[in-house]
Amino acid sequence: MLKPQLQQSSQSTKTLIPSWNTNPLFLASFPINILNKNFRLKKKNNFGVRHNYNGANTTKAVVSSTVKSTSVKAVVTVQKQVNLSLSRGFDDIGDLLGKSLLLWIVAAELDHKTGIEKPGIRAYAHRGRDVDGDTHYEADFVIPEDFGEVGAILVENEHHKEMYVKNIVIDGFVHGKVEITCNSWVHSKFDNPDKRIFFTNKSYLPSQTPSGVSRLREEELVTLRGDGIGERKVFERIYDYDVYNDLGEANGNGDAKRPVLGGKELPYPRRCRTGRPRSKKDPLSETRSTFVYVPRDEAFSEVKSLTFSGNTVYSVLHAVVPALESVVTDPNLGFPHFPAIDSLFNVGVDLPGLGDKKSGLFNVVPRLIKAISDTRKDVLLFESPQLVQRDKFSWFRDVEFARQTLAGLNPYSIRLVTEWPLRSKLDPKVYGPPESEITKELIEKEIGNYMTVEQAVQQKKLFILDYHDLLLPYVNKVNELKGSVLYGSRTIFFLTPEGTLKPLAIELTRPPVDDKPQWKEVYSPNDWNATGAWLWKLAKAHVLSHDSGYHQLVSHWLRTHCCTEPYIIASNRQLSAMHPIYRLLHPHFRYTMEINALAREALINANGIIESSFFPGKYAIELSSIAYGAEWRFDQEALPQNLISRGLAVEDPNEPHGLKLAIEDYPFANDGLVLWDILKQWVTNYVNHYYPQTNLIESDKELQAWWSEIKNIGHGDKRNEPWWPELKTPNDLIGIVTTIVWVTSGHHAAVNFGQYSYAGYFPNRPTVARSKMPTEDPTAEEWEWFMNKPEEALLRCFPSQIQATKVMTILDVLSNHSPDEEYIGEKIEPYWAEDPVINAAFEVFSGKLKELEGIIDARNNDSKLNNRNGAGVMPYELLKPYSEPGVTGKGVPYSISI
């Protein structure tokens, strides 16, 4: 550690401009006159320090013989980048001359004598050695004794290309090192002359901001908000809002046009504004392009390795899927028999060239692309999903069909039946009679007259998957599309004494169409009648396609990816990077905006993967808007409130987690509530540390602006709803933040990382139904064909070959953990480690997550828990916090990065 030293200088000095922004308005407000490059410090502003620029690579503070100073060294860690552009030579020369980065150290406090900002101390950083794939740049500073603590550092990138700066460490102070975590792209000064601001790792509420950086804190937020004008450029970091008006091809033909999502008619969360030009044909829609802007620090492409899941998704969407489409020439071709489905896992699909290691794809998606032998072409060969590895025929059984509503991909749809008889709330003049055909007599027969329907409802024994009213308005529109059939559906389950669910009945409904009246029919398990048994299997295929679509469009895309984007935008616009709540939330937001932009480009866009392979086709994302308007509530995104809203739990202070579950063996809820409590305790410890008094919440102007913007702009179509939580107390904040971090971690993990395990074998979860039920207005020929070939009827109902293989391919990469996955509680963030109290709270948090691993293992080994244990039953591991790389069906990352 360097000690303070006396410095003497008799040389004449040139002045140096200690500014970090060239905006004229900024210059006008600067405490000393820097418009003249030869300014001299005025007497009233004389701090005893003059800035000496001697033509070398550093600028040193020169002090009189009576003023003490300290020599310190700053080391900037920059991620090495591949740069083959012409500007590389200029940048290399700059490195040799020691002019790579220009740094300003900014004092934390104002000058106590004058009440104005102390001059920043600047120096050029010269390129040092490479360490572990990174490049170090070093700068030497002489800091006057009265400079005080460091509040921030400003960076100007002298290169022609941007740099990814990981961190800056300043060493040599008596009180120890100053660490500044950056993890940010620093633009070239040739793209933008403004300097980048990085604050130290110590967190501050707005009212506690050190006086010397208060102005910088506010100015940085102004920069991040932008002005809402013009098309965004790749190097910018501007966060702003827009509606979903870029999913269709507004300048193309009518088949690719899509309505704008966001507004009174089709409410929706807001996305990040790109500023791309509006369509000439449809001024409400934005033109599409190959570049989709996201703020620069939200991108992962150059930061993460090629094995990062987001990069793999990009490769699959842009190379593997088009290759599949070129090989499977008939988009309506189905599978002729079940062995043809099995061949996807043991023979594969010929895709010439994809296995060529020179193509790069072999290294990106090696799990899928395998060479069978030296004599065969490379093939797309799918791994057998965990479900069929354990029990190849489990998908055929009703007990597995029911179990997966509690421990499968979509545990968010099952609800308690609270009223009988079942009745639609839709307009009967449009959709036909509202009464359900599922009768009291049928239910009582199916449960063996064990109890009456009234008793079953009273004792909380009946549960439902209800997609009737949500889907019925779309049935006739979807049925006009080629190769797609839709019904409204209800599926009733009975809770058995063993704690498992037994499916009792499926009702499928078609509203009136043309001159035909409403059609509806009820199917029940029928093991003693071959015709009834096959009709039941076909009815299950339809319901599973409804559940698959709802899972992908609502439980997954809408409620995690889509609804989180406004939280990210508001956090960056209203919470300073030094705000403790920003730093708590930031790990939960990494890479979500980039993966969402990729989804808009090729997944949820017109004729993209979702529309071409999932029901309800071209109406898919529109349907998610209907679900958002009818179902989404922020307060019910909290797991306990979600369970209560579906009748799956009631408050009970005597029960674990304060809830009594209606189904005790509900693996998602059992594990999820433990994880929820762990997250809430971590957030509670964190919030209470920074907000020890209640009044600090309402007086925090950044926090209040953040919550207001989320409600009124990001989710502005819901702004007038009465259920929005208030933000007046620490407990209010704890509830809000815990809900957000649960959605990005536990909720997303539960509905994402099991996709290939459960849906990779698509008969278990078909994504679309392509044929109508044989009992819906059949001709004599249709009925005879079904009676003679019921298995073929089921295969014809399943997705086509191209639909199935595209979905299997994308589900494989969506379910994949990359080697550099960032799991909750695994590594502490540097700014958390800076505070001993937060550091200790994180250790507790991390320890509790490790305990959860053991709890889940014990539950999966408990033979009394039939919904997660048994012969051939997949254990429920989706909420185990940690995982090895690959498709594992477990692991909870911080953020929605895939």
Side-chain angles (χ1 to χ4, degrees), residues 153 435 581:
I153 193 162
E435 295 81 13
I581 299 303

Side-chain angles (χ1 to χ4, degrees), residues 188-201:
S188 165
K189 73 174 184 180
F190 301 101
D191 288 329
N192 181 354
D194 293 344
K195 281 69 175 173
R196 283 296 311 279
I197 304 167
F198 294 106
F199 300 105
T200 62
N201 284 357

Side-chain angles (χ1 to χ4, degrees), residues 234-375:
V234 65
F235 60 83
E236 292 180 322
R237 298 181 306 123
I238 293 174
Y239 295 78
D240 204 353
Y241 298 95
D242 207 343
V243 293
Y244 278 73
N245 61 355
D246 64 341
L247 301 181
E249 295 286 354
N251 291 328
N253 59 47
D255 183 58
K257 291 182 179 180
R258 295 295 179 268
V260 174
L261 303 185
K264 187 175 182 180
E265 291 188 8
L266 291 172
Y268 219 55
R270 298 303 187 259
R271 63 167 174 91
C272 182
R273 178 186 178 276
T274 67
R276 290 183 293 190
R278 294 298 178 96
S279 165
K280 293 181 180 178
K281 288 187 177 180
D282 178 12
L284 295 178
S285 295
E286 185 175 278
T287 56
R288 291 171 59 82
S289 61
T290 55
F291 167 65
V292 183
Y293 167 82
V294 294
R296 192 64 186 99
D297 286 339
E298 304 297 335
F300 52 65
S301 54
E302 296 94 338
V303 177
K304 289 289 186 178
S305 67
L306 281 177
T307 57
F308 179 61
S309 302
N311 292 322
T312 307
V313 172
Y314 185 91
S315 299
V316 167
L317 289 175
H318 289 81
V320 181
V321 168
L324 277 170
E325 292 172 334
S326 68
V327 171
V328 184
T329 55
D330 182 358
N332 299 309
L333 183 65
F335 289 88
H337 41 66
F338 278 94
I341 298 174
D342 296 338
S343 71
L344 295 172
F345 307 102
N346 51 48
V347 178
V349 181
D350 286 335
L351 290 180
L354 278 187
D356 182 1
K357 295 185 179 181
K358 294 180 181 178
S359 73
L361 278 171
F362 185 87
N363 296 318
V364 174
V365 281
R367 210 183 106 84
L368 290 176
I369 302 169
K370 299 180 178 180
I372 298 297
S373 69
D374 294 336
T375 60

Side-chain angles (χ1 to χ4, degrees), residues 282-542:
D282 178 12
L284 295 178
S285 295
E286 185 175 278
T287 56
R288 291 171 59 82
S289 61
T290 55
F291 167 65
V292 183
Y293 167 82
V294 294
R296 192 64 186 99
D297 286 339
E298 304 297 335
F300 52 65
S301 54
E302 296 94 338
V303 177
K304 289 289 186 178
S305 67
L306 281 177
T307 57
F308 179 61
S309 302
N311 292 322
T312 307
V313 172
Y314 185 91
S315 299
V316 167
L317 289 175
H318 289 81
V320 181
V321 168
L324 277 170
E325 292 172 334
S326 68
V327 171
V328 184
T329 55
D330 182 358
N332 299 309
L333 183 65
F335 289 88
H337 41 66
F338 278 94
I341 298 174
D342 296 338
S343 71
L344 295 172
F345 307 102
N346 51 48
V347 178
V349 181
D350 286 335
L351 290 180
L354 278 187
D356 182 1
K357 295 185 179 181
K358 294 180 181 178
S359 73
L361 278 171
F362 185 87
N363 296 318
V364 174
V365 281
R367 210 183 106 84
L368 290 176
I369 302 169
K370 299 180 178 180
I372 298 297
S373 69
D374 294 336
T375 60
R376 284 206 52 185
K377 295 179 180 179
D378 297 326
V379 299
L380 190 68
L381 181 65
F382 294 93
E383 295 277 356
S384 294
Q386 188 179 355
L387 180 79
V388 295
Q389 286 182 23
R390 288 178 170 269
D391 185 348
K392 183 177 180 179
F393 301 105
S394 62
W395 70 275
F396 221 57
R397 289 193 288 274
D398 290 344
V399 65
E400 182 65 15
F401 168 57
R403 188 190 74 84
Q404 288 184 27
T405 65
L406 304 174
L409 266 190
N410 186 30
Y412 273 102
S413 284
I414 191 79
R415 289 178 173 273
L416 179 71
V417 174
T418 58
E419 296 179 347
W420 196 271
L422 302 176
R423 184 181 177 90
S424 172
K425 296 179 181 178
L426 298 175
D427 185 353
K429 295 179 182 178
V430 177
Y431 300 103
E435 295 81 13
S436 170
E437 293 287 332
I438 302 177
T439 64
K440 167 183 169 71
E441 292 74 21
L442 174 65
I443 295 300
E444 290 175 356
K445 174 187 172 184
E446 289 297 324
I447 60 178
N449 295 312
Y450 181 74
M451 60 178 65
T452 66
V453 165
E454 291 78 13
Q455 289 172 327
V457 171
Q458 183 181 12
Q459 296 178 32
K460 299 184 177 181
K461 297 294 185 182
L462 292 183
F463 296 85
I464 186 171
L465 281 181
D466 191 352
Y467 296 124
H468 185 276
D469 285 9
L470 178 67
L471 300 186
L472 205 61
Y474 280 86
V475 167
N476 290 335
K477 291 192 288 187
V478 171
N479 290 346
E480 292 176 357
L481 304 176
K482 186 176 181 180
S484 183
V485 174
L486 183 63
Y487 299 104
S489 69
R490 297 185 180 102
T491 307
I492 301 295
F493 301 86
F494 177 72
L495 180 62
T496 69
E498 290 76 27
T500 58
L501 291 177
K502 171 183 168 61
L504 304 179
I506 292 173
E507 180 180 38
L508 300 178
T509 305
R510 184 205 67 204
V513 57
D514 299 329
D515 58 346
K516 296 178 181 180
Q518 181 196 69
W519 174 90
K520 65 175 66 168
E521 190 155 340
V522 177
Y523 305 89
S524 58
N526 198 332
D527 296 332
W528 55 88
N529 179 295
T531 302
W534 277 106
L535 288 172
W536 172 251
K537 290 178 176 62
L538 282 160
K540 280 200 301 183
H542 278 275

